[in-house]
Amino acid sequence: YLPADAPADANADAAAGSQLFVFSARSGDRLRAVVQQTLQRLGRGEPVALADLAHTLQIGREAMDERLALVAATRAELCDGLQAWLDGRVHADLPLCRGTAEADRPSDAAAEALVAARDLTGLARHWVAGGGVPWAQLHASHAVRRIVWATYPFAPTVFLIDYEQGAPAGPDLAT
């Protein structure tokens, strides 16, 4: 990962070009929370190389069933696309795919062809449908690093204990 004291290269985003940003969660509401968390962090203006962020989201997270993928070249495009999705709007200029990973997942051989052609929109569709992607091959032409990024926003859960019922039954230790 990229230590916090290592600055992001401001020129790296322009040189790296468009990136595929992937987000996943166990449920639709958690996917919204993941996107909101990302927007909050990007909105604070922290320096982050977009290629490093895309790489971290691709390899540093478990791919869960509810998925969102977006192709963007700048921080502004990424933020605009994510906000449009949260608002239920279509962003005509940005490829954005949303779906649930299918039980009958697409062939990983198809992903290799999409990577070779650097077809990020095709890769987004493939990944959202549940297909695997050889992420390392996608970034073979330029150096990327894992960075420290937000963790999964688990749903808050409340567990109630009924103290009037007494302690739960357990083994009889008196005998």
Side-chain angles (χ1 to χ4, degrees), residues 1-24:
Y1 78 94
L2 177 62
D5 60 346
D9 181 359
N11 297 322
D13 291 341
S18 293
Q19 299 295 318
L20 173 56
F21 299 90
V22 295
F23 305 89
S24 70

Side-chain angles (χ1 to χ4, degrees), residues 34-108:
V34 167
V35 170
Q36 288 168 337
Q37 189 178 52
T38 299
L39 275 173
Q40 288 171 352
R41 180 120 184 234
L42 289 171
R44 290 194 298 249
E46 297 175 34
V48 60
L50 293 182
D52 292 342
L53 174 58
H55 176 68
T56 299
L57 294 172
Q58 294 160 357
I59 67 153
R61 305 290 183 265
E62 176 185 346
M64 299 180 202
D65 287 345
E66 297 298 320
R67 298 179 178 199
L68 175 73
L70 171 68
V71 177
T74 66
R75 179 187 288 243
E77 284 181 356
L78 176 59
C79 290
D80 289 348
L82 293 176
Q83 190 62 58
W85 179 76
L86 285 173
D87 295 343
R89 294 181 288 116
V90 174
H91 195 297
D93 298 331
L94 295 176
L96 185 139
C97 302
R98 166 71 173 99
T100 302
E102 302 166 2
D104 184 23
R105 298 173 190 265
S107 159
D108 290 347

Side-chain angles (χ1 to χ4, degrees), residues 27 30 37 113 115:
S27 66
R30 292 294 87 202
Q37 189 178 52
V115 167

